[in-house]
Amino acid sequence: NDEMELWGIEDFGTVCGVAVMSKEADWVRLCHIYVEEKYRGSGRGGRLLFELIYNAYIYGASQFIVKYIPGRYPGLQNLLRNYPMMISEETVGSVSCTLENLLTSKALVGEYKNIKSLAECPQTELSHFYREIVNKGLDWVEMPIDKKDYLADFCAVKTEGGKPTGLLLIKEQKEGILIPLMVNISDSVTAPIEMMRYALQKIVKTYPTNTSVHFEVVNESLLMLFERLGVSVERRCCASLDLSYFA
């Protein structure tokens, strides 16, 4: 339902920064912005952000929105301080812990139903599910999924009535394990827990318990669970600018 735009800024013909915006009828969201390291501090990031915000105003949107984890992108936060942004804390965030932290939670050790690995799911079975994820604005990774990019045998797919309704992706990185996406489009509040149970039972057979695990996006109920476990939780913030600022 939205329109994606790719923007760039040049230095004498050389691209030195890029940005991606998502446009809806009444608002524009900055999905990504990046400036090459050697150009940072030169004002190009600020110029690019200004052009994006002004374009959103010309487009007719009422709000310009940026979502971020505080402290993770200090350069972006410094740029946003130049505008009268309204900052609110969201009910989602990121989590960093170890496998051992997760295994100490009784909630994450137990049974699960109607879950299979991503490797077991044919692409034809997943294509409609991927479209639903995109339509709901939950596509925090590139869709459709390329199974080669993930540990497909460990990734969990929750099904209801034979149709996929939940997905937990797992990727290996130098620092340990990354979980870039955990999404549930069903009414089941236990689906995320069940997918984690499935994935954990697979992971602990291959990785030591001191392996680092990072969840890129976690919902409110799981954040509260992780907070009780005493692990590192970072809540996401939403910065919004009323575009009447340009009027």
Side-chain angles (χ1 to χ4, degrees), residues 1-237:
N1 296 327
D2 59 357
E3 174 188 345
M4 303 296 288
E5 286 189 358
L6 176 65
W7 283 65
I9 187 168
E10 296 182 344
D11 178 64
F12 295 100
T14 300
V15 176
C16 58
V18 294
V20 179
M21 291 198 302
S22 172
K23 288 184 172 181
E24 285 277 359
D26 197 44
W27 53 264
V28 170
R29 180 165 69 92
L30 176 62
C31 303
H32 176 77
I33 186 168
Y34 176 80
V35 175
E36 284 279 359
E37 191 170 351
K38 68 178 181 179
Y39 292 102
R40 293 174 192 172
S42 67
R44 288 174 175 80
R47 174 62 188 274
L48 178 57
L49 180 62
F50 174 82
E51 293 291 345
L52 298 174
I53 293 174
Y54 188 67
N55 177 265
Y57 168 70
I58 296 299
Y59 170 74
S62 64
Q63 297 284 325
F64 183 83
I65 297 170
V66 186
K67 298 185 178 185
Y68 61 93
I69 300 292
R72 192 176 298 179
Y73 305 103
L76 174 61
Q77 286 181 253
N78 285 335
L79 293 177
L80 294 177
R81 291 190 183 103
N82 294 316
Y83 301 92
M85 292 281 186
M86 294 289 294
I87 311 293
S88 59
E89 192 176 76
E90 293 199 313
T91 57
V92 298
S94 296
V95 172
S96 297
C97 59
T98 65
L99 275 178
E100 186 175 13
N101 293 139
L102 299 176
L103 293 170
T104 59
S105 171
K106 293 180 180 179
L108 299 180
V109 179
E111 297 180 352
Y112 50 82
K113 293 181 180 178
N114 302 322
I115 293 183
K116 54 186 176 180
S117 72
L118 180 64
E120 298 176 89
C121 299
Q123 200 70 10
T124 51
E125 183 179 307
L126 294 166
S127 57
H128 179 71
F129 178 49
Y130 291 153
R131 284 196 294 271
E132 286 190 88
I133 292 175
V134 172
N135 289 338
K136 290 178 180 294
L138 301 173
D139 51 326
W140 297 309
V141 298
E142 185 175 349
M143 293 286 171
I145 299 298
D146 187 340
K147 295 180 183 180
K148 298 191 299 293
D149 293 338
Y150 300 92
L151 299 172
D153 289 326
F154 298 168
C155 297
V157 178
K158 175 75 172 175
T159 63
E160 288 186 3
K163 296 181 179 180
T165 56
L167 175 64
L168 185 151
L169 292 178
I170 299 173
K171 178 180 281 192
E172 188 176 53
Q173 55 182 9
K174 269 193 286 187
E175 298 80 7
I177 291 171
L178 173 67
I179 299 179
L181 178 72
M182 181 163 51
V183 62
N184 172 36
I185 63 171
S186 74
D187 294 328
S188 170
V189 294
T190 62
I193 295 290
E194 291 184 275
M195 288 191 290
M196 288 181 61
R197 287 174 178 173
Y198 174 90
L200 278 174
Q201 289 185 26
K202 296 267 189 172
I203 292 170
V204 295
K205 294 177 181 178
T206 305
Y207 294 88
T209 56
N210 63 351
T211 300
S212 296
V213 181
H214 179 72
F215 294 79
E216 197 64 38
V217 182
V218 176
N219 66 20
E220 175 69 9
S221 59
L222 286 175
L223 278 180
M224 293 172 64
L225 171 63
F226 287 129
E227 285 175 333
R228 288 198 296 272
L229 292 174
V231 302
S232 175
V233 171
E234 300 174 297
R235 291 183 181 271
R236 192 170 70 181
C237 283

